[in-house]
């Protein structure tokens, strides 16, 4: 579907900026669970690794957004 394709492209661009790649396994997790937890994302600003859950949010009208949820410390 075109909606899944759009999500895939937008998420791939975001993940690439964080040092990750979108693959079929990741795409299936986003479409089924709406989020994926990563322990080794890479900050664009500092180059350091960090841990966060990437959550897919669809407020409607095909405007999919992605939020980072950081673990409680």
């Amino acid at each position: 579907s075109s909606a899944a394709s759009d999500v895939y492209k937008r998420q791939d661009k975001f993940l690439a900026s964080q040092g990750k790649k979108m693959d079929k396994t990741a795409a299936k997790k986003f479409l089924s669970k709406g989020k994926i937890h990563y322990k080794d994302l890479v900050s664009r600003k500092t180059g350091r690794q960090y841990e966060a859950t990437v959550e897919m949010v669809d407020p409607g009208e095909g405007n999919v957004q992605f939020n980072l949820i950081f673990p409680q410390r």
Side-chain angles (χ1 to χ4, degrees):
S1 77
S2 64
S5 176
D6 183 51
V7 166
Y8 187 89
K9 288 176 188 172
R10 294 177 88 180
Q11 183 62 4
D12 188 43
K13 187 175 180 181
F14 173 76
L15 284 177
S17 76
Q18 304 299 305
K20 289 289 177 189
K21 289 187 177 182
M22 174 67 83
D23 57 19
K24 286 185 180 183
T25 303
K28 285 180 183 178
K29 280 187 182 177
F30 274 112
L31 293 173
S32 67
K33 296 184 179 183
K35 59 187 171 185
I36 299 178
H37 183 78
Y38 290 101
K39 292 189 176 188
D40 57 353
L41 294 171
V42 179
S43 170
R44 284 184 288 187
K45 290 182 181 178
T46 66
R48 292 183 180 168
Q49 286 191 345
Y50 68 96
E51 180 177 353
T53 298
V54 180
E55 179 183 49
M56 181 174 69
V57 180
D58 184 1
E61 301 174 20
N63 297 324
V64 176
Q65 300 170 351
F66 300 96
N67 297 329
L68 289 174
I69 303 167
F70 298 97
Q72 299 281 331
R73 297 264 176 216

